[in-house]
Amino acid sequence: TQEGKTIFSIIIALFLVFATASIPLAAIYYPAPSFELKEAVENGANTSLDAVLKDKDTKGVMLYFMTTWWPACGQASPVVAKFDESYKKKGIRVIGILLTPADVKYMNEYKKKHNIKFPILYGNIKIVEEYHIEHGVPAFFFIDKNGMVRKVLFGETTLEVMEELVDGALKPVII
């Protein structure tokens, strides 16, 4: 509903206003919350994290929590697009999670402007809560083939930092 979208936008805007600093890369290890969300394209299909991880060619997933209007996300989107181009050959799937409402026409223009080829899904308040996106966006979660969150990064980033994040997360966990 329009009222729900407005409330969701206000909540996202409030936490973004207070999230001005980058949060350093954190190494962690816990089960990623599962989700099924609609892709932000005409007649967008639902995509689930479980289905992507079950694909035999997938070695991991980088979730990119984003908005289209926040300057830090505008700077991060082309970096994530470059990362996607080089790492999809290695079996790393990038999935964008859009945390503000946007129509399909606008999303097509945004993706073209930033050379984005990876899917962008419409997020919701449930995924914000389950992934604890209280530090703002952009936010990056690397999930390994076993569905475990291995690395998290909040704030602006570079291609080198993203590569370090994933390369480190692909190493075996010693407990």
Side-chain angles (χ1 to χ4, degrees), residues 64 71-81 110 138 140 155-157 162:
Y64 167 41
C73 293
Q75 292 170 346
S77 288
V79 172
V80 178
Y110 186 86
F140 305 91
E156 295 179 38
T157 190
M162 291 191 72

Side-chain angles (χ1 to χ4, degrees), residues 58-137:
T58 300
K59 292 186 174 44
V61 174
M62 174 68 73
L63 295 182
Y64 167 41
F65 289 88
M66 60 176 288
T67 68
T68 56
W69 58 269
W70 190 247
C73 293
Q75 292 170 346
S77 288
V79 172
V80 178
K82 286 179 188 172
F83 172 85
D84 176 56
E85 284 298 312
S86 62
Y87 273 74
K88 68 181 165 188
K89 299 173 207 128
K90 297 179 181 183
I92 306 303
R93 295 274 310 271
V94 174
I95 300 175
I97 309 288
L98 183 64
L99 298 180
T100 52
D103 64 31
V104 171
K105 181 180 177 190
Y106 181 78
M107 285 311 302
N108 289 339
E109 292 168 4
Y110 186 86
K111 288 177 81 167
K112 185 176 181 179
K113 175 182 176 183
H114 296 294
N115 197 30
I116 293 172
K117 307 269 190 299
F118 57 85
I120 297 177
L121 312 178
Y122 289 118
N124 55 38
I125 196 68
K126 180 179 177 192
I127 198 165
V128 168
E129 291 171 348
E130 288 181 343
Y131 277 86
H132 304 285
I133 310 296
E134 61 267 357
H135 297 293
V137 293

Side-chain angles (χ1 to χ4, degrees), residues 18-89:
F18 296 105
T20 57
S22 290
I23 306 298
L25 183 68
I28 48 184
Y29 197 74
Y30 65 89
S34 187
F35 61 81
E36 183 172 337
L37 300 169
K38 183 178 177 184
E39 190 170 355
V41 295
E42 189 73 35
N43 300 315
N46 285 353
T47 299
S48 77
L49 178 61
D50 294 338
V52 173
L53 289 171
K54 286 179 184 171
D55 183 311
K56 64 179 177 59
D57 296 326
T58 300
K59 292 186 174 44
V61 174
M62 174 68 73
L63 295 182
Y64 167 41
F65 289 88
M66 60 176 288
T67 68
T68 56
W69 58 269
W70 190 247
C73 293
Q75 292 170 346
S77 288
V79 172
V80 178
K82 286 179 188 172
F83 172 85
D84 176 56
E85 284 298 312
S86 62
Y87 273 74
K88 68 181 165 188
K89 299 173 207 128

